[in-house]
Amino acid sequence: MTCGALGIVVGVANSLTNNDAVASVAYFAATALLALALVVSAISNKPDNRIWPMLLLIAGSSIAGQIFDARFADQSSQQAIAEAFFLLLQILLAIGLTYISARRLGNDPLSGVVDGVIVGLGAWFLIWVGLLKPIIDTTNQTILVNALQGATLAASAVVFFTLATLFFGDSLRTPAVWLVAGAITFTLTGDVLFAAIDAGRIDISSNHALSAYVASLFFAAAAFLHPSIRSLTSKSIERQQRPLLGRLIVTTSALTLPVVVLAVSDPIDASDRTVRAVSIAVLTIAVTARVVQAVVSNARIQRQLIASAQTDALTGLPSRSLMLTHVNNSLLGAYDEGRQPSVLFIDVDRFKNINDSLGHQAGDDVLVAVAQRLRNALPSHCVVGRISGDEFVVLDGETRSPSEAMLIADAILDSFHEPLSLRQGDVFVSASIGVATYQPTVSGNADDLLRHADTAMYRAKDAGRNCVAVFDESMLERVTQRLAVETALYRALERRELRLVHQPIVDIEDGEVVGFEALMRWQRDDGSMISPAEFIPIAEETGTIVPIGAWALLEALTHLRTWITEGICRSDATMSVNVSPRQLHDPQFVSVVAEALRRSRVAPDQLWLEVTESVMIAEPEQALNALNRLCDIGVRVAIDDFGTGYSSLSLLQKFPIQRLKIDRSFVNGVADDLSARSLVRTIIAMGDSLGLDMVAEGVESVRQLQTLAELRCAKAQGYLISHPVPPDSMGSTVAALDQFGSWSRLRGPRNNS
Ligand code: C2E
Ligand code: MG
Ligand code: MG
């Protein structure tokens, strides 16, 4: 860039000096500089090898032209030779630029070329009227020189065209491109100035025109010294935003200037009239072609935009909007034809787990494979679309009853029996499918059908995944009800509608109450009581479990503190509080626990946090981290409902756990069902070997309690011992349990076999 600026300075200085000798020195010095730059560039920048022969020819013809030029040689006989070299120079420049711009035009080469034609033609017209015609008419040069000069100027118009084309391309304009363009612009300026002097249009010294050539040589040297010269002939980085404004200004000027000239000047003679008419006619054709091309390419782009908005890029399936159009179309005339088009809403089960454990690339591969499976599993008249993430929709416009749609759904479930083969290995996936069938009064339009199929899909998920649910109206009621619960739950805490009840946990050996489990209740303002099984999952999903759980912790520990103070229970009695995964993943959770312990003045080892096995399976790292920090402050952790999840022995060893709570479903059959009993025996043996405390949940009968005692289970809780009771009833509940002899009656005779 500095070299280019220097070129301008030298050019201006040369013009100001206006001395022939100085001008010659400046010109040859600039030529030497360019030669040096070429050598340096060849060594350090290593530009595209193919440009060297062309460059040598350009340099050769330029130097030869100057040597033979009358201004130096002063022999008019040699002027024709000089002009021939100048013509050759322009032709070579045009060819070189065409080569470069052809490689840099990018996506839309045609528009660049046509714009270039318009600029070239505009320039040609101005050159003809302003320079060429006067030169032909006024100078007393030979016809040959005149013809060569005319051809050179015409070739300049072509150079103009290629230069414009280069600039209208999609490739990024690097400094080298700017410098080459600068060099050529100065060359053209020099040409025009010489021609104007020759034509008698301007009366200035030819040294001024030579200054333009000097600047041009400096620019060319600068271009070759710049490292970006390497990518001159490559397409390089595409421009994000095409330079529309600059392009518009240049092409519009190329169009309007000739029109203005045409309006203000009359043709001199018949030849002038013919050249003008032909030039303007060609210009008009080029402009018309450009307009047609712009309209056609706009229409094409619009079509592409619509198509990409309606197609899912990953799977190539129709997107939500196109699926809605398909559903709408299939509903047309369905009633009259006795058709009941069906929509199946398909959600890949546990897709998040796949994404989290195998990575997003595997997740994408699964989606592509699922799309393929669906296509293969379905009759050809069905349409499959992907409407978001892991959600696919199938439209069968030909079904005549919900049972036909069920067949399709079953076929889809069957298709997932085989694993998907991915680059990462085989992966089994299952899907939950919701089906909605067209019914004029219920699912009467495309939106309804899709929404109802979605609702049914959630029912399938609730039913344990990998199954199908067909939409019926009662589902809508449940959705509305759930929405009402969600909204009311937000307020439940501040309206003091939540309560804790407690269930005592006893030592099976001696019946002493050793602890309590806090269980939440929600008493709504209309007096109705909602079970935690109903509202805890909603609180988890919406995140309200975080503040609610924090409240429960402090409340439960405060109750324990009161009971200890009032002598209702032992001073080392414990409080068990249920904790959901969402709470564990809350970064504040550990400090919430610590704060509750501090405020209630309960020792950390008197708090049991009950988590389910699912905590260890989904996002185990995060859970492990939280549980370890809790253990560090002395809090203990129990696995609730043990046996219903899928935790492995290795997970149990890895997690900081001190207690297992045997799920009610096993305790239920422990007295009568041999397999349930041997399962409980195994769980207890395993717990013992890991040094864990064992609690049996949901003990309802004396026989269950006796069997658990035989199996040496340490602790128990259940309706047999006590239902969960409100905090103020705990005094009488514990007193009743502690009553002398009541326990031995419950437990029956000791049997240590
Ligand atoms: P869980 O932690 O396993 O609690 C034991 C459930 O079994 C309680 O149901 C309890 O009332 C019931 N139960 C106790 N003994 C018997 C019995 O002998 N027979 C029968 N059939 N059931 C018995 P509840 O109170 O409806 O709680 C259900 C679940 O809701 C709890 O299961 C727990 O997972 C969750 N939950 C309750 N309170 C909270 C809470 O404060 N936070 C969290 N995150 N979850 C809670
Ligand atoms: Mg529990
Ligand atoms: Mg439980």
Side-chain angles (χ1 to χ4, degrees), residues 517-519 576-578 610-611 640-641 661 697 717:
E517 176 172 6
L519 296 157
S576 301
V577 180
N578 293 286
E610 296 193 1
V611 299
D640 206 351
D641 307 337
K661 295 188 78 175
E697 290 189 301
Q717 68 183 99

Side-chain angles (χ1 to χ4, degrees), residues 642-643 662 666 673-685:
F642 185 76
I662 307 170
F666 305 114
D673 181 348
L674 279 181
S675 67
R677 187 184 306 184
S678 63
L679 220 121
V680 171
R681 183 182 285 121
T682 314
I683 294 177
I684 292 173

Side-chain angles (χ1 to χ4, degrees), residues 20 62 79 135 194 205 239 246 281 361 367 405 411 475 530 542 686 715 750:
D20 284 353
S62 169
Q79 187 59 28
I135 288 175
F194 272 127
S205 153
R239 272 183 280 182
Q361 181 56 52
L367 293 175
M475 288 182 188
I530 302 180
T542 54
M686 186 185 74
K715 299 185 178 78
R750 266 164 207 261

Side-chain angles (χ1 to χ4, degrees), residues 365-667:
D365 293 350
V366 165
L367 293 175
V368 172
V370 166
Q372 191 57 44
R373 278 284 156 93
L374 289 175
R375 272 199 218 106
N376 295 345
L378 296 167
S380 56
H381 65 267
C382 289
V383 188
V384 191
R386 175 174 171 235
I387 61 168
S388 72
D390 60 342
E391 293 176 335
F392 294 83
V393 161
V394 169
L395 163 72
D396 186 342
E398 301 299 319
T399 47
R400 289 175 183 267
S401 67
S403 51
E404 282 183 37
M406 278 300 283
L407 291 180
I408 302 276
D410 286 340
I412 293 173
L413 285 187
D414 284 348
S415 74
F416 289 117
H417 283 163
E418 291 294 311
L420 306 175
S421 313
L422 308 183
R423 274 170 286 180
Q424 297 82 353
D426 285 0
V427 173
F428 276 99
V429 299
S430 63
S432 301
I433 304 177
V435 180
T437 306
Y438 168 68
Q439 280 158 356
T441 50
V442 189
S443 309
N445 60 45
D447 274 328
D448 282 351
L449 259 180
L450 225 65
R451 196 159 41 84
H452 292 168
D454 189 9
T455 307
M457 186 277 291
Y458 274 103
R459 179 50 52 83
K461 281 247 185 269
D462 288 345
R465 299 180 162 93
N466 192 23
C467 60
V468 184
V470 180
F471 175 79
D472 71 64
E473 271 180 274
S474 69
M475 288 182 188
L476 279 188
E477 275 164 38
R478 252 174 276 186
V479 170
T480 327
Q481 199 186 333
R482 193 194 144 102
L483 206 67
V485 171
E486 248 176 53
T487 331
L489 196 57
Y490 275 115
R491 293 281 152 78
L493 195 57
E494 61 191 52
R495 289 187 186 167
R496 298 174 181 277
E497 292 176 353
L498 298 176
R499 319 240 174 289
L500 287 185
V501 290
H502 299 271
Q503 188 174 42
I505 298 173
V506 297
D507 187 316
I508 295 186
E509 185 66 24
D510 55 16
E512 202 175 344
V513 175
V514 290
F516 310 89
E517 176 172 6
L519 296 157
M520 212 183 290
R521 298 290 176 265
W522 179 15
Q523 184 156 26
R524 296 198 54 181
D525 49 3
D526 57 4
S528 62
M529 190 70 90
I530 302 180
S531 119
E534 205 174 315
F535 71 84
I536 294 283
I538 300 177
E540 279 219 34
E541 225 170 87
T542 54
T544 9
I545 191 68
V546 173
I548 288 178
W551 166 82
L553 254 167
L554 181 60
E555 184 82 352
L557 291 175
T558 310
H559 290 160
L560 180 66
R561 164 66 30 220
T562 312
W563 298 333
I564 292 174
T565 314
E566 291 175 0
I568 289 174
C569 62
R570 294 160 41 157
S571 59
D572 62 351
T574 61
M575 179 56 76
S576 301
V577 180
N578 293 286
V579 170
S580 70
R582 184 83 179 243
Q583 286 173 275
L584 268 194
H585 295 152
D586 173 28
Q588 302 299 321
F589 184 63
V590 180
S591 46
V592 165
V593 172
E595 176 68 7
L597 287 168
R598 194 187 60 76
R599 285 177 63 181
S600 60
R601 287 173 292 112
V602 170
D605 65 351
Q606 283 177 279
L607 172 63
W608 283 98
L609 294 179
E610 296 193 1
V611 299
T612 51
E613 287 163 276
S614 59
V615 157
M616 300 194 282
I617 294 161
E619 300 176 68
E621 292 309 319
Q622 227 174 328
L624 184 61
N625 181 14
L627 292 179
N628 276 333
R629 285 165 59 212
L630 287 164
C631 280
D632 289 346
I633 60 169
V635 174
R636 291 183 289 175
V637 179
I639 297 288
D640 206 351
D641 307 337
F642 185 76
T644 54
Y646 302 96
S647 58
S648 62
L649 208 60
S650 65
L651 274 179
L652 281 183
Q653 272 183 311
K654 194 169 154 198
F655 276 73
I657 294 156
Q658 290 86 27
R659 173 184 274 181
L660 291 186
K661 295 188 78 175
I662 307 170
D663 190 62
R664 195 169 68 226
S665 55
F666 305 114
V667 173

